[in-house]
Amino acid sequence: MKKMYVLIGNYGSGKTELALNFAIKAAERGERTELLDLDMVNTYFRLTERGKMTRMKEIRLVSPNFACSGIETLSVPAEVASAFAMDWDTVVFDVGGDPTGANGLGRYYQDFMDLEEGALEVLNVVNTRRPLAGTVEKIVKLQQDMERYSRLKITGMINNTNLATATSEADLRDGYEII
């Protein structure tokens, strides 16, 4: 059964790194893997920058048409349809976590609904040390917006609370408690 992971979350939550790691782990298990860069919010850090790494791991990477070219347009490439049409074992979507970013997924609503039951996981990646996710109220509001615009129901949350190398056990515990 094809497994699809949609990672959404606020700016700076770490969803791009997690998406990359989800894809790498799937490829290491010998799964045919596709990774889609649909983050229309943070155009400064793209999975396209990891193109060589994904090719080495035999992961197919789909990115916006002009990613890393110096030209930024908020366009969803037609190749996204390959996630549903081709015979992948694992597909990982990296999606921006505000209404603009989540809106691009709405186009594929029926494709997601046509998947086998249990094939789709929509994971909200949360770093409670980011300004838009520091309180329960902010997280709930953002999550409701992401669900409304993406037209997908969040099925799980990932606590990715961190302050890079300054992260303490208390930061992780606080993130867990808030989530």
Side-chain angles (χ1 to χ4, degrees):
M1 170 173 63
K2 181 185 292 190
K3 188 71 176 172
M4 287 200 179
Y5 298 94
V6 176
L7 277 70
I8 59 177
N10 69 303
Y11 176 79
S13 64
K15 65 192 164 302
T16 299
E17 283 296 324
L18 284 168
L20 180 63
N21 281 286
F22 269 53
I24 288 171
K25 288 297 179 191
E28 287 175 351
R29 290 190 299 268
E31 297 173 12
R32 293 165 305 201
T33 305
E34 184 173 55
L35 177 59
L36 296 105
D37 181 355
L38 298 183
D39 191 340
M40 303 298 176
V41 178
N42 182 6
T43 59
Y44 297 106
F45 182 62
R46 288 257 178 236
L47 283 166
T48 306
E49 296 169 2
R50 305 295 178 91
K52 183 176 180 182
M53 178 188 298
T54 58
R55 283 188 301 279
M56 287 174 50
K57 300 286 185 179
E58 297 184 8
I59 298 168
R60 181 170 189 258
L61 176 62
V62 175
S63 294
N65 301 323
F66 299 105
C68 297
S69 68
I71 301 169
E72 286 298 339
T73 62
L74 298 180
S75 63
V76 176
E79 286 181 283
V80 172
S82 66
F84 304 98
M86 295 179 72
D87 192 24
W88 302 107
D89 297 313
T90 301
V91 177
V92 182
F93 290 82
D94 173 24
V95 182
D98 71 357
T100 302
N103 201 37
L105 282 182
R107 152 54 184 106
Y108 299 97
Y109 173 76
Q110 193 56 55
D111 295 300
F112 283 116
M113 293 304 101
D114 290 343
L115 293 171
E116 285 183 56
E117 188 173 332
L120 175 63
E121 286 193 49
V122 182
L123 303 171
N124 183 6
V125 180
V126 180
N127 180 347
T128 62
R129 295 303 188 238
R130 300 300 296 177
L132 297 176
T135 66
V136 171
E137 295 77 21
K138 288 179 180 180
I139 294 168
V140 168
K141 168 77 169 95
L142 192 59
Q143 183 163 309
Q144 289 170 339
D145 287 347
M146 289 185 289
E147 287 180 332
R148 182 172 58 253
Y149 285 92
S150 71
R151 301 172 61 196
L152 298 175
K153 180 83 175 131
I154 291 172
T155 59
M157 297 177 80
I158 297 175
N159 176 14
N160 196 36
T161 298
N162 72 84
L163 292 166
T165 58
T167 306
S168 68
E169 289 179 28
D171 292 315
L172 296 173
R173 197 171 17 261
D174 289 348
Y176 175 78
E177 291 300 323
I178 289 170
I179 292 171

